[in-house]
Amino acid sequence: MGAMRRVFVDRGSPQRDAIDEAAKWIANGGVVAIPTDTLYGLAADPFSAAAVARVFEVKGRQTDRAVPLIAASTEQVSVHIGRLSPDAERLAARFWPGPLTLLVAAPRALAKDVSGGTGRVGVRVPADDVARRICAAVGRPVTATSANVSGGAATADPSEVERTLGDRIDLLIDAGPTPGGAPSTIVDATGTTPVLVRAGALAWDEIEAWLSNEQDARRR
């Protein structure tokens, strides 16, 4: 770990070279702080045990806690993580891109520590163009655990990321402050019916209403 590079990006039309630089660091085992539609996250290759170990090192966090992922699209999730269950597919169709994390079965190729020993992994498609473009450039989903030291507050401010993690990460993609607010809502989609795991930016009532409307529509 050495001096971090901070690259400023226009959220409306992200510069291709900045996206490519982030993707190159991630592909080579680096850790990159990136904006999402909620807070700043730490992006690394979840299929590399060494890269995932670095994420835990950066955060000073125990490896028994799972690491969430973000992806460029539902298709990228299907190809690299696994086919979604019918309920998960319906939720993804309605709420992605957006702050809904779906817990799905972790593929064997994923670094073991990503699932925190649970056999499941949380993944979502964020409503942030920069984050999705980075995932697309990497060619697979990336980690998106909050960009902060474990026990500290997650942040929407890139300057706070630099202050707290600047000597530990390789690159900061600075697209200005992110929307902030609550983290994504986590729903377990591995069972017969989706179950709320963590309340967040998306109201559980809204998710339940959508699922019951869908079931009613299918019964007709």
Side-chain angles (χ1 to χ4, degrees):
M1 301 186 196
M4 176 206 79
R5 217 168 104 70
R6 184 171 181 173
V7 176
F8 295 90
V9 169
D10 178 351
R11 182 172 257 125
S13 54
Q15 299 88 325
R16 181 78 223 182
D17 56 349
I19 300 295
D20 287 346
E21 184 177 353
K24 188 181 279 186
W25 272 112
I26 293 164
N28 290 329
V31 178
V32 180
I34 66 170
T36 75
D37 48 354
T38 53
L39 304 154
Y40 270 81
L42 294 177
D45 180 0
F47 295 89
S48 161
V52 172
R54 268 206 64 199
V55 170
F56 283 107
E57 192 184 337
V58 165
K59 287 180 71 79
R61 174 165 138 177
Q62 297 298 310
T63 56
D64 59 352
R65 291 181 57 196
V67 176
L69 309 181
I70 55 171
S73 62
T74 304
E75 184 190 13
Q76 193 178 65
V77 173
S78 298
V79 170
H80 295 279
I81 305 300
R83 191 172 169 78
L84 295 175
S85 69
D87 271 336
E89 222 161 50
R90 281 188 280 276
L91 287 169
R94 169 67 181 85
F95 297 108
W96 285 356
L100 173 68
T101 295
L102 293 175
L103 281 187
V104 298
R108 290 172 69 171
L110 209 61
K112 190 168 60 71
D113 287 339
V114 172
S115 66
T118 64
R120 294 173 301 180
V121 63
V123 65
R124 72 187 183 95
V125 176
D128 184 277
D129 200 27
V130 175
R132 288 198 311 274
R133 285 187 189 215
I134 289 170
C135 293
V138 173
R140 53 172 60 176
V142 302
T143 67
T145 184
S146 56
N148 60 294
V149 174
S150 194
T155 185
D157 178 5
S159 293
E160 182 64 12
V161 175
E162 181 170 38
R163 188 184 70 77
T164 56
L165 300 179
D167 59 345
R168 303 184 187 196
I169 62 176
D170 301 301
L171 180 69
L172 165 60
I173 297 294
D174 181 353
T178 58
S184 67
T185 300
I186 302 179
V187 171
D188 186 343
T190 59
T192 48
T193 53
V195 176
L196 178 67
V197 175
R198 180 185 74 186
L202 196 60
W204 176 237
D205 291 355
E206 194 181 339
I207 296 166
E208 278 191 313
W210 164 255
L211 284 172
S212 65
N213 286 345
E214 277 283 280
Q215 282 165 350
D216 291 347
R218 288 203 304 279
R219 284 194 200 104
R220 284 187 205 122

